[in-house]
Amino acid sequence: MLFGALEAGGTKMVCAIGDENGTILDQISIPTLTPEETMPLIIDYLKGKGIAALGVACFGPVDLDRKSETYGYITSTPKLAWLHYDIVGTLQKALNVPIGFDTDVNGSALGEATWGSTKGVENSIYITIGTGVGVGVIIGGKPYHGMMHPEGGHIFLSRHPSDMEFESKCPYHANCMEGLAAGPAIEKRWGKKGIELVDRKEVWELEAFYIGQALCNYIVTLSPQRIVLGGGVMGQTQLFPLVREEVRKQLNNYIQTKEMENLDTYIVPAGCGGDQGIKGCIKLAMNELGI
Ligand code: ADP
Ligand code: ZN
């Protein structure tokens, strides 16, 4: 059976065709311009491919409440061309197939939980640290929504004593994770992109301090059985041992479980090799058909 997948991002739209094994058979990428320019290209790609359902994992905030009049809309995004845009309705009208819809990070979390590092783990989280910070939450095998959906990139953190003067990159919050630790914050603080700061130990120690602190907050509130870290910034793989060490230090032995005894298998990189987002869309599509 064939499924359509759309990973809708702020800079690019990844469209793919895949099967029930999570195998991606074909894939394209389209720049995210305005809906008028971008949507027809997505529809052209997905049309006539014989897909049984479509899964869409979308940048947000989005309306995931199936009872809401604006279900399937991108809501209060700073990307103004997409403000209050009915992305699911538009695709539904053009393609006439069942559509599964979720946030971009819930999509990645689901991809990992189905075919990646959290396969077989009932309760897990996926954190992306890239242009922004997002947290996808899987509870009982399903993406968690709640009132809207988690916006875990905006949890408030205590600053490192050496970082008191830095002005947060988040336009809403002076001390949130995204404002202090996403890629653009690294670039603003140190004057260079992360990729050019590989040899600067202090950059990654501070980054690990914030990521570790955020993880401690997710661990005590959500009690995930495993945590996957992804996104461009985590391309700095030297962060993994530093983050694990910060988690150990900052939690201070408060949580004592078998998972916490081996942080190497508790805090892990993505297992889908960068395809967790698009594979998650395939699973969103499958979920619509109860597969
Ligand atoms: P997006 O979040 O837009 O989907 P990415 O996850 O690639 O895209 O994140 C982009 C951000 O991550 C940028 O701020 C970039 O500087 C940073 N970044 C990307 N790759 C690396 C890397 N290998 N090391 C450090 N920072 C990186
Ligand atoms: Zn914020």
Side-chain angles (χ1 to χ4, degrees):
M1 199 176 271
L2 294 179
F3 299 97
L6 169 60
E7 193 183 4
T11 52
K12 64 180 196 292
M13 300 282 185
V14 179
C15 305
I17 305 294
D19 66 17
E20 65 274 20
N21 301 314
T23 306
I24 304 297
L25 304 166
D26 188 59
Q27 179 171 319
I28 60 161
S29 175
I30 296 166
T32 304
L33 305 172
T34 64
E36 293 71 28
E37 292 165 290
T38 305
M39 291 305 290
L41 301 177
I42 294 171
I43 289 163
D44 271 356
Y45 175 78
L46 293 169
K47 225 178 183 158
K49 295 271 200 313
I51 59 173
L54 170 66
V56 180
C58 188
F59 70 91
V62 289
D63 187 345
L64 300 176
D65 175 4
R66 290 187 191 248
K67 290 189 224 94
S68 160
E69 277 181 16
T70 52
Y71 168 72
Y73 279 55
I74 298 168
T75 58
S76 56
T77 173
K79 286 197 77 74
L80 293 178
W82 296 82
L83 187 67
H84 302 303
Y85 182 68
D86 182 9
I87 186 162
V88 172
T90 304
L91 292 163
Q92 180 80 68
K93 222 178 275 168
L95 300 170
N96 199 27
V97 291
I99 298 179
F101 184 53
D102 219 309
T103 62
D104 45 8
V105 272
N106 267 350
S108 294
L110 185 62
E112 283 295 311
T114 312
W115 292 295
S117 294
T118 45
K119 188 173 172 190
V121 178
E122 278 214 7
N123 306 293
S124 62
I125 61 176
Y126 175 90
I127 305 164
T128 178
I129 306 166
T131 306
V133 177
V135 182
V137 179
I138 301 291
I139 295 182
K142 295 201 171 75
Y144 174 72
H145 296 165
M147 173 182 68
M148 183 178 87
H149 47 75
E151 279 287 346
H154 296 267
I155 54 167
F156 304 145
L157 301 181
S158 297
R159 285 185 181 240
H160 192 277
S162 70
D163 194 44
M164 300 309 276
E165 305 303 320
F166 176 71
E167 196 190 333
S168 163
K169 274 295 277 179
C170 175
Y172 295 92
H173 313 117
N175 295 293
C176 77
M177 169 70 178
E178 180 168 305
L180 296 179
I186 296 175
E187 188 174 347
K188 180 176 173 194
R189 184 184 288 112
W190 303 99
K192 281 182 187 170
K193 284 188 185 303
I195 193 80
E196 299 166 89
L197 294 162
V198 180
D199 299 331
R200 298 273 298 276
K201 202 164 148 256
E202 66 276 23
V203 170
W204 309 109
E205 283 172 355
L206 182 65
E207 185 66 12
F209 169 81
Y210 287 128
I211 299 172
Q213 193 181 155
L215 262 51
C216 289
N217 286 324
Y218 306 134
I219 291 167
V220 293
T221 50
L222 296 165
S223 205
Q225 293 161 305
R226 195 171 294 156
I227 297 173
V228 182
L229 290 174
V233 172
M234 292 311 299
Q236 297 301 316
T237 50
Q238 75 273 26
L239 275 170
F240 279 89
L242 296 174
V243 166
R244 292 181 189 119
E245 189 49 37
E246 286 292 340
V247 167
R248 187 173 301 291
K249 246 189 352 212
Q250 295 185 38
L251 269 183
N252 199 19
N253 275 323
Y254 181 66
I255 307 284
Q256 297 181 7
T257 59
K258 66 173 179 357
E259 288 85 351
M260 299 305 299
E261 279 166 23
N262 189 359
L263 293 184
D264 290 354
T265 56
Y266 183 63
I267 299 167
V268 298
C272 291
D275 282 342
Q276 54 271 21
I278 201 72
K279 288 190 179 207
C281 297
I282 301 286
K283 179 61 175 155
L284 285 172
M286 290 165 61
N287 285 353
E288 280 310 290
L289 301 184
I291 300 169

mmCIF file of all heavy atoms in Angstrom, residues 140-186:
data_model
loop_
_atom_site.group_PDB
_atom_site.id
_atom_site.type_symbol
_atom_site.label_atom_id
_atom_site.label_comp_id
_atom_site.label_asym_id
_atom_site.label_seq_id
_atom_site.Cartn_x
_atom_site.Cartn_y
_atom_site.Cartn_z
ATOM 1 N N GLY A 140 1.826 6.383 25.520
ATOM 2 C CA GLY A 140 1.075 5.182 25.178
ATOM 3 C C GLY A 140 1.108 4.898 23.682
ATOM 4 O O GLY A 140 0.127 4.452 23.097
ATOM 5 N N GLY A 141 2.234 5.199 23.062
ATOM 6 C CA GLY A 141 2.414 4.927 21.635
ATOM 7 C C GLY A 141 1.817 5.967 20.700
ATOM 8 O O GLY A 141 1.969 5.870 19.488
ATOM 9 N N LYS A 142 1.144 6.979 21.277
ATOM 10 C CA LYS A 142 0.480 7.972 20.415
ATOM 11 C C LYS A 142 1.034 9.372 20.659
ATOM 12 O O LYS A 142 1.373 9.718 21.792
ATOM 13 C CB LYS A 142 -1.013 8.006 20.747
ATOM 14 C CG LYS A 142 -1.750 6.731 20.444
ATOM 15 C CD LYS A 142 -3.249 7.034 20.307
ATOM 16 C CE LYS A 142 -4.012 5.839 19.797
ATOM 17 N NZ LYS A 142 -4.193 4.797 20.820
ATOM 18 N N PRO A 143 1.068 10.188 19.608
ATOM 19 C CA PRO A 143 1.487 11.578 19.815
ATOM 20 C C PRO A 143 0.522 12.272 20.777
ATOM 21 O O PRO A 143 -0.691 12.139 20.646
ATOM 22 C CB PRO A 143 1.372 12.203 18.424
ATOM 23 C CG PRO A 143 1.364 11.067 17.470
ATOM 24 C CD PRO A 143 0.742 9.912 18.197
ATOM 25 N N TYR A 144 1.085 12.972 21.743
ATOM 26 C CA TYR A 144 0.278 13.662 22.748
ATOM 27 C C TYR A 144 -0.078 15.069 22.262
ATOM 28 O O TYR A 144 0.775 15.787 21.733
ATOM 29 C CB TYR A 144 1.071 13.736 24.064
ATOM 30 C CG TYR A 144 0.389 14.555 25.118
ATOM 31 C CD1 TYR A 144 -0.750 14.084 25.766
ATOM 32 C CD2 TYR A 144 0.859 15.827 25.447
ATOM 33 C CE1 TYR A 144 -1.385 14.854 26.729
ATOM 34 C CE2 TYR A 144 0.224 16.593 26.406
ATOM 35 C CZ TYR A 144 -0.897 16.102 27.041
ATOM 36 O OH TYR A 144 -1.539 16.874 27.973
ATOM 37 N N HIS A 145 -1.332 15.450 22.434
ATOM 38 C CA HIS A 145 -1.785 16.785 22.039
ATOM 39 C C HIS A 145 -2.129 17.663 23.238
ATOM 40 O O HIS A 145 -1.648 18.761 23.368
ATOM 41 C CB HIS A 145 -3.007 16.698 21.113
ATOM 42 C CG HIS A 145 -2.702 16.027 19.814
ATOM 43 N ND1 HIS A 145 -3.659 15.558 18.957
ATOM 44 C CD2 HIS A 145 -1.515 15.734 19.225
ATOM 45 C CE1 HIS A 145 -3.091 15.007 17.902
ATOM 46 N NE2 HIS A 145 -1.794 15.094 18.048
ATOM 47 N N GLY A 146 -3.042 17.161 24.094
ATOM 48 C CA GLY A 146 -3.486 17.992 25.220
ATOM 49 C C GLY A 146 -4.348 19.145 24.747
ATOM 50 O O GLY A 146 -5.089 19.024 23.766
ATOM 51 N N MET A 147 -4.249 20.265 25.413
ATOM 52 C CA MET A 147 -5.051 21.448 25.090
ATOM 53 C C MET A 147 -4.829 21.898 23.643
ATOM 54 O O MET A 147 -5.757 22.231 22.926
ATOM 55 C CB MET A 147 -4.659 22.569 26.052
ATOM 56 C CG MET A 147 -5.268 23.910 25.746
ATOM 57 S SD MET A 147 -4.691 25.158 26.898
ATOM 58 C CE MET A 147 -2.944 25.296 26.459
ATOM 59 N N MET A 148 -3.548 21.890 23.236
ATOM 60 C CA MET A 148 -3.175 22.299 21.867
ATOM 61 C C MET A 148 -2.166 21.274 21.382
ATOM 62 O O MET A 148 -2.506 20.331 20.711
ATOM 63 C CB MET A 148 -2.588 23.711 21.905
ATOM 64 C CG MET A 148 -2.221 24.283 20.565
ATOM 65 S SD MET A 148 -1.577 25.976 20.691
ATOM 66 C CE MET A 148 0.163 25.686 20.992
ATOM 67 N N HIS A 149 -0.918 21.474 21.752
ATOM 68 C CA HIS A 149 0.145 20.488 21.630
ATOM 69 C C HIS A 149 1.284 21.059 22.445
ATOM 70 O O HIS A 149 1.353 22.273 22.644
ATOM 71 C CB HIS A 149 0.551 20.261 20.159
ATOM 72 C CG HIS A 149 0.759 21.518 19.371
ATOM 73 N ND1 HIS A 149 1.872 22.311 19.529
ATOM 74 C CD2 HIS A 149 -0.009 22.143 18.460
ATOM 75 C CE1 HIS A 149 1.779 23.354 18.707
ATOM 76 N NE2 HIS A 149 0.642 23.293 18.060
ATOM 77 N N PRO A 150 2.168 20.219 22.934
ATOM 78 C CA PRO A 150 3.275 20.758 23.732
ATOM 79 C C PRO A 150 4.104 21.758 22.921
ATOM 80 O O PRO A 150 4.260 21.610 21.703
ATOM 81 C CB PRO A 150 4.099 19.524 24.077
ATOM 82 C CG PRO A 150 3.149 18.384 23.984
ATOM 83 C CD PRO A 150 2.204 18.747 22.872
ATOM 84 N N GLU A 151 4.568 22.780 23.591
ATOM 85 C CA GLU A 151 5.501 23.755 23.003
ATOM 86 C C GLU A 151 6.750 23.763 23.883
ATOM 87 O O GLU A 151 7.134 24.784 24.443
ATOM 88 C CB GLU A 151 4.837 25.144 22.950
ATOM 89 C CG GLU A 151 3.902 25.337 21.755
ATOM 90 C CD GLU A 151 4.646 25.485 20.417
ATOM 91 O OE1 GLU A 151 5.864 25.693 20.404
ATOM 92 O OE2 GLU A 151 3.963 25.369 19.375
ATOM 93 N N GLY A 152 7.318 22.579 24.009
ATOM 94 C CA GLY A 152 8.381 22.366 24.983
ATOM 95 C C GLY A 152 9.682 23.106 24.709
ATOM 96 O O GLY A 152 10.567 23.122 25.551
ATOM 97 N N GLY A 153 9.793 23.730 23.545
ATOM 98 C CA GLY A 153 10.981 24.553 23.290
ATOM 99 C C GLY A 153 10.972 25.834 24.096
ATOM 100 O O GLY A 153 12.002 26.489 24.240
ATOM 101 N N HIS A 154 9.824 26.169 24.627
ATOM 102 C CA HIS A 154 9.704 27.450 25.329
ATOM 103 C C HIS A 154 9.640 27.282 26.841
ATOM 104 O O HIS A 154 9.106 28.147 27.537
ATOM 105 C CB HIS A 154 8.503 28.233 24.786
ATOM 106 C CG HIS A 154 8.695 28.594 23.340
ATOM 107 N ND1 HIS A 154 9.240 29.804 22.932
ATOM 108 C CD2 HIS A 154 8.491 27.876 22.212
ATOM 109 C CE1 HIS A 154 9.332 29.813 21.608
ATOM 110 N NE2 HIS A 154 8.879 28.652 21.143
ATOM 111 N N ILE A 155 10.150 26.179 27.359
ATOM 112 C CA ILE A 155 10.242 26.076 28.819
ATOM 113 C C ILE A 155 11.288 27.077 29.302
ATOM 114 O O ILE A 155 12.260 27.390 28.606
ATOM 115 C CB ILE A 155 10.646 24.669 29.306
ATOM 116 C CG1 ILE A 155 11.932 24.202 28.631
ATOM 117 C CG2 ILE A 155 9.521 23.672 29.103
ATOM 118 C CD1 ILE A 155 12.517 22.997 29.299
ATOM 119 N N PHE A 156 11.075 27.556 30.516
ATOM 120 C CA PHE A 156 11.964 28.577 31.068
ATOM 121 C C PHE A 156 13.125 27.906 31.806
ATOM 122 O O PHE A 156 12.922 26.959 32.551
ATOM 123 C CB PHE A 156 11.187 29.509 31.998
ATOM 124 C CG PHE A 156 10.004 30.146 31.300
ATOM 125 C CD1 PHE A 156 8.831 30.400 31.979
ATOM 126 C CD2 PHE A 156 10.067 30.466 29.949
ATOM 127 C CE1 PHE A 156 7.742 30.977 31.330
ATOM 128 C CE2 PHE A 156 8.987 31.034 29.286
ATOM 129 C CZ PHE A 156 7.819 31.292 29.989
ATOM 130 N N LEU A 157 14.314 28.434 31.574
ATOM 131 C CA LEU A 157 15.520 27.845 32.152
ATOM 132 C C LEU A 157 16.236 28.850 33.050
ATOM 133 O O LEU A 157 16.089 30.059 32.873
ATOM 134 C CB LEU A 157 16.482 27.413 31.032
ATOM 135 C CG LEU A 157 15.949 26.382 30.023
ATOM 136 C CD1 LEU A 157 17.033 26.059 29.007
ATOM 137 C CD2 LEU A 157 15.482 25.110 30.728
ATOM 138 N N SER A 158 17.006 28.322 33.997
ATOM 139 C CA SER A 158 17.902 29.183 34.768
ATOM 140 C C SER A 158 19.150 29.410 33.937
ATOM 141 O O SER A 158 19.696 28.479 33.354
ATOM 142 C CB SER A 158 18.314 28.503 36.073
ATOM 143 O OG SER A 158 17.196 28.291 36.869
ATOM 144 N N ARG A 159 19.600 30.633 33.940
ATOM 145 C CA ARG A 159 20.797 30.929 33.155
ATOM 146 C C ARG A 159 22.061 30.445 33.838
ATOM 147 O O ARG A 159 22.142 30.411 35.055
ATOM 148 C CB ARG A 159 20.904 32.439 32.943
ATOM 149 C CG ARG A 159 19.921 32.923 31.919
ATOM 150 C CD ARG A 159 20.165 34.384 31.668
ATOM 151 N NE ARG A 159 19.191 34.844 30.680
ATOM 152 C CZ ARG A 159 19.533 35.366 29.515
ATOM 153 N NH1 ARG A 159 20.800 35.502 29.167
ATOM 154 N NH2 ARG A 159 18.595 35.768 28.690
ATOM 155 N N HIS A 160 23.027 30.119 32.997
ATOM 156 C CA HIS A 160 24.352 29.842 33.518
ATOM 157 C C HIS A 160 24.940 31.164 34.009
ATOM 158 O O HIS A 160 24.757 32.206 33.360
ATOM 159 C CB HIS A 160 25.218 29.245 32.403
ATOM 160 C CG HIS A 160 26.492 28.660 32.911
ATOM 161 N ND1 HIS A 160 27.603 29.442 33.151
ATOM 162 C CD2 HIS A 160 26.815 27.390 33.254
ATOM 163 C CE1 HIS A 160 28.573 28.662 33.599
ATOM 164 N NE2 HIS A 160 28.109 27.409 33.673
ATOM 165 N N PRO A 161 25.643 31.143 35.146
ATOM 166 C CA PRO A 161 26.207 32.400 35.683
ATOM 167 C C PRO A 161 27.061 33.170 34.668
ATOM 168 O O PRO A 161 27.130 34.400 34.722
ATOM 169 C CB PRO A 161 27.064 31.929 36.865
ATOM 170 C CG PRO A 161 26.502 30.604 37.253
ATOM 171 C CD PRO A 161 25.890 30.000 36.021
ATOM 172 N N SER A 162 27.671 32.471 33.721
ATOM 173 C CA SER A 162 28.524 33.153 32.733
ATOM 174 C C SER A 162 27.710 33.735 31.576
ATOM 175 O O SER A 162 28.270 34.338 30.667
ATOM 176 C CB SER A 162 29.548 32.167 32.162
ATOM 177 O OG SER A 162 28.872 31.217 31.341
ATOM 178 N N ASP A 163 26.398 33.555 31.599
ATOM 179 C CA ASP A 163 25.580 33.892 30.433
ATOM 180 C C ASP A 163 24.434 34.839 30.808
ATOM 181 O O ASP A 163 23.384 34.842 30.186
ATOM 182 C CB ASP A 163 25.019 32.571 29.842
ATOM 183 C CG ASP A 163 24.427 32.734 28.450
ATOM 184 O OD1 ASP A 163 25.045 33.422 27.612
ATOM 185 O OD2 ASP A 163 23.336 32.172 28.199
ATOM 186 N N MET A 164 24.668 35.650 31.820
ATOM 187 C CA MET A 164 23.586 36.496 32.342
ATOM 188 C C MET A 164 23.219 37.635 31.390
ATOM 189 O O MET A 164 22.089 38.101 31.378
ATOM 190 C CB MET A 164 23.967 37.081 33.716
ATOM 191 C CG MET A 164 24.250 36.043 34.781
ATOM 192 S SD MET A 164 22.963 34.788 34.960
ATOM 193 C CE MET A 164 21.818 35.620 36.027
ATOM 194 N N GLU A 165 24.165 38.090 30.582
ATOM 195 C CA GLU A 165 23.934 39.295 29.775
ATOM 196 C C GLU A 165 23.314 38.996 28.405
ATOM 197 O O GLU A 165 22.774 39.888 27.763
ATOM 198 C CB GLU A 165 25.263 40.039 29.526
ATOM 199 C CG GLU A 165 26.035 40.406 30.784
ATOM 200 C CD GLU A 165 25.212 41.261 31.731
ATOM 201 O OE1 GLU A 165 24.473 42.154 31.249
ATOM 202 O OE2 GLU A 165 25.276 41.001 32.956
ATOM 203 N N PHE A 166 23.409 37.783 27.942
ATOM 204 C CA PHE A 166 22.949 37.437 26.588
ATOM 205 C C PHE A 166 21.459 37.737 26.425
ATOM 206 O O PHE A 166 20.642 37.375 27.272
ATOM 207 C CB PHE A 166 23.224 35.950 26.317
ATOM 208 C CG PHE A 166 22.706 35.475 24.988
ATOM 209 C CD1 PHE A 166 23.315 35.892 23.810
ATOM 210 C CD2 PHE A 166 21.609 34.628 24.906
ATOM 211 C CE1 PHE A 166 22.832 35.459 22.577
ATOM 212 C CE2 PHE A 166 21.121 34.190 23.686
ATOM 213 C CZ PHE A 166 21.735 34.613 22.522
ATOM 214 N N GLU A 167 21.137 38.387 25.308
ATOM 215 C CA GLU A 167 19.725 38.701 25.064
ATOM 216 C C GLU A 167 19.070 37.564 24.285
ATOM 217 O O GLU A 167 19.488 37.243 23.172
ATOM 218 C CB GLU A 167 19.611 40.016 24.282
ATOM 219 C CG GLU A 167 18.200 40.574 24.338
ATOM 220 C CD GLU A 167 18.019 41.746 23.370
ATOM 221 O OE1 GLU A 167 19.034 42.430 23.058
ATOM 222 O OE2 GLU A 167 16.889 41.938 22.903
ATOM 223 N N SER A 168 18.049 36.979 24.866
ATOM 224 C CA SER A 168 17.366 35.817 24.273
ATOM 225 C C SER A 168 16.961 36.081 22.827
ATOM 226 O O SER A 168 16.549 37.181 22.472
ATOM 227 C CB SER A 168 16.117 35.509 25.107
ATOM 228 O OG SER A 168 15.233 34.670 24.391
ATOM 229 N N LYS A 169 17.044 35.039 21.993
ATOM 230 C CA LYS A 169 16.596 35.155 20.597
ATOM 231 C C LYS A 169 15.087 34.962 20.449
ATOM 232 O O LYS A 169 14.532 35.158 19.379
ATOM 233 C CB LYS A 169 17.310 34.095 19.737
ATOM 234 C CG LYS A 169 18.658 34.499 19.196
ATOM 235 C CD LYS A 169 18.624 35.647 18.200
ATOM 236 C CE LYS A 169 18.287 35.186 16.793
ATOM 237 N NZ LYS A 169 18.232 36.311 15.835
ATOM 238 N N CYS A 170 14.414 34.546 21.542
ATOM 239 C CA CYS A 170 12.966 34.363 21.431
ATOM 240 C C CYS A 170 12.272 35.705 21.615
ATOM 241 O O CYS A 170 12.496 36.386 22.611
ATOM 242 C CB CYS A 170 12.467 33.375 22.481
ATOM 243 S SG CYS A 170 10.661 33.222 22.466
ATOM 244 N N PRO A 171 11.416 36.090 20.664
ATOM 245 C CA PRO A 171 10.741 37.382 20.797
ATOM 246 C C PRO A 171 9.723 37.409 21.948
ATOM 247 O O PRO A 171 9.291 38.483 22.359
ATOM 248 C CB PRO A 171 10.029 37.557 19.449
ATOM 249 C CG PRO A 171 10.018 36.232 18.799
ATOM 250 C CD PRO A 171 11.124 35.413 19.397
ATOM 251 N N TYR A 172 9.368 36.260 22.490
ATOM 252 C CA TYR A 172 8.359 36.196 23.552
ATOM 253 C C TYR A 172 8.954 36.085 24.962
ATOM 254 O O TYR A 172 8.357 36.545 25.918
ATOM 255 C CB TYR A 172 7.426 34.995 23.341
ATOM 256 C CG TYR A 172 6.595 35.093 22.083
ATOM 257 C CD1 TYR A 172 7.055 34.544 20.886
ATOM 258 C CD2 TYR A 172 5.368 35.737 22.087
ATOM 259 C CE1 TYR A 172 6.302 34.632 19.729
ATOM 260 C CE2 TYR A 172 4.601 35.826 20.940
ATOM 261 C CZ TYR A 172 5.074 35.274 19.758
ATOM 262 O OH TYR A 172 4.326 35.365 18.614
ATOM 263 N N HIS A 173 10.096 35.376 25.062
ATOM 264 C CA HIS A 173 10.589 34.998 26.400
ATOM 265 C C HIS A 173 12.075 35.336 26.585
ATOM 266 O O HIS A 173 12.886 35.013 25.724
ATOM 267 C CB HIS A 173 10.405 33.492 26.628
ATOM 268 C CG HIS A 173 9.045 33.001 26.257
ATOM 269 N ND1 HIS A 173 8.822 32.088 25.252
ATOM 270 C CD2 HIS A 173 7.820 33.338 26.754
ATOM 271 C CE1 HIS A 173 7.524 31.861 25.149
ATOM 272 N NE2 HIS A 173 6.892 32.612 26.036
ATOM 273 N N ALA A 174 12.375 35.903 27.745
ATOM 274 C CA ALA A 174 13.756 36.304 28.021
ATOM 275 C C ALA A 174 14.651 35.129 28.405
ATOM 276 O O ALA A 174 15.874 35.236 28.341
ATOM 277 C CB ALA A 174 13.774 37.349 29.139
ATOM 278 N N ASN A 175 14.045 34.024 28.833
ATOM 279 C CA ASN A 175 14.858 32.915 29.358
ATOM 280 C C ASN A 175 14.387 31.537 28.913
ATOM 281 O O ASN A 175 14.516 30.579 29.653
ATOM 282 C CB ASN A 175 14.841 32.961 30.895
ATOM 283 C CG ASN A 175 15.516 34.203 31.422
ATOM 284 O OD1 ASN A 175 16.720 34.380 31.286
ATOM 285 N ND2 ASN A 175 14.728 35.087 32.008
ATOM 286 N N CYS A 176 13.833 31.435 27.698
ATOM 287 C CA CYS A 176 13.354 30.098 27.305
ATOM 288 C C CYS A 176 14.456 29.331 26.583
ATOM 289 O O CYS A 176 15.437 29.891 26.095
ATOM 290 C CB CYS A 176 12.069 30.179 26.486
ATOM 291 S SG CYS A 176 12.315 30.681 24.779
ATOM 292 N N MET A 177 14.244 28.019 26.529
ATOM 293 C CA MET A 177 15.215 27.104 25.896
ATOM 294 C C MET A 177 15.525 27.538 24.454
ATOM 295 O O MET A 177 16.690 27.642 24.066
ATOM 296 C CB MET A 177 14.597 25.694 25.923
ATOM 297 C CG MET A 177 15.312 24.650 25.110
ATOM 298 S SD MET A 177 16.891 24.229 25.830
ATOM 299 C CE MET A 177 17.415 22.954 24.676
ATOM 300 N N GLU A 178 14.490 27.789 23.673
ATOM 301 C CA GLU A 178 14.719 28.169 22.275
ATOM 302 C C GLU A 178 15.525 29.462 22.182
ATOM 303 O O GLU A 178 16.441 29.585 21.378
ATOM 304 C CB GLU A 178 13.375 28.312 21.549
ATOM 305 C CG GLU A 178 13.527 28.709 20.104
ATOM 306 C CD GLU A 178 12.228 28.573 19.302
ATOM 307 O OE1 GLU A 178 11.636 27.476 19.294
ATOM 308 O OE2 GLU A 178 11.807 29.573 18.684
ATOM 309 N N GLY A 179 15.175 30.428 23.021
ATOM 310 C CA GLY A 179 15.848 31.733 22.981
ATOM 311 C C GLY A 179 17.297 31.673 23.423
ATOM 312 O O GLY A 179 18.115 32.501 23.023
ATOM 313 N N LEU A 180 17.625 30.677 24.250
ATOM 314 C CA LEU A 180 18.987 30.586 24.787
ATOM 315 C C LEU A 180 19.845 29.538 24.069
ATOM 316 O O LEU A 180 21.065 29.629 24.100
ATOM 317 C CB LEU A 180 18.944 30.230 26.290
ATOM 318 C CG LEU A 180 18.285 31.257 27.217
ATOM 319 C CD1 LEU A 180 18.297 30.750 28.655
ATOM 320 C CD2 LEU A 180 18.995 32.612 27.140
ATOM 321 N N ALA A 181 19.197 28.552 23.436
ATOM 322 C CA ALA A 181 20.003 27.391 23.014
ATOM 323 C C ALA A 181 19.767 26.890 21.597
ATOM 324 O O ALA A 181 20.455 25.972 21.156
ATOM 325 C CB ALA A 181 19.790 26.247 24.004
ATOM 326 N N ALA A 182 18.802 27.444 20.847
ATOM 327 C CA ALA A 182 18.633 27.001 19.462
ATOM 328 C C ALA A 182 19.805 27.513 18.612
ATOM 329 O O ALA A 182 20.586 28.361 19.071
ATOM 330 C CB ALA A 182 17.303 27.504 18.913
ATOM 331 N N GLY A 183 19.908 27.025 17.389
ATOM 332 C CA GLY A 183 21.018 27.416 16.504
ATOM 333 C C GLY A 183 21.224 28.924 16.408
ATOM 334 O O GLY A 183 22.359 29.413 16.555
ATOM 335 N N PRO A 184 20.152 29.697 16.181
ATOM 336 C CA PRO A 184 20.335 31.151 16.061
ATOM 337 C C PRO A 184 20.861 31.806 17.350
ATOM 338 O O PRO A 184 21.570 32.810 17.283
ATOM 339 C CB PRO A 184 18.915 31.650 15.733
ATOM 340 C CG PRO A 184 18.251 30.476 15.067
ATOM 341 C CD PRO A 184 18.802 29.274 15.768
ATOM 342 N N ALA A 185 20.533 31.234 18.515
ATOM 343 C CA ALA A 185 21.063 31.776 19.778
ATOM 344 C C ALA A 185 22.561 31.520 19.863
ATOM 345 O O ALA A 185 23.326 32.397 20.276
ATOM 346 C CB ALA A 185 20.339 31.144 20.970
ATOM 347 N N ILE A 186 22.976 30.335 19.443
ATOM 348 C CA ILE A 186 24.418 30.018 19.436
ATOM 349 C C ILE A 186 25.140 31.021 18.534
ATOM 350 O O ILE A 186 26.155 31.613 18.914
ATOM 351 C CB ILE A 186 24.661 28.571 18.928
ATOM 352 C CG1 ILE A 186 24.026 27.558 19.885
ATOM 353 C CG2 ILE A 186 26.152 28.305 18.745
ATOM 354 C CD1 ILE A 186 24.103 26.108 19.396
#
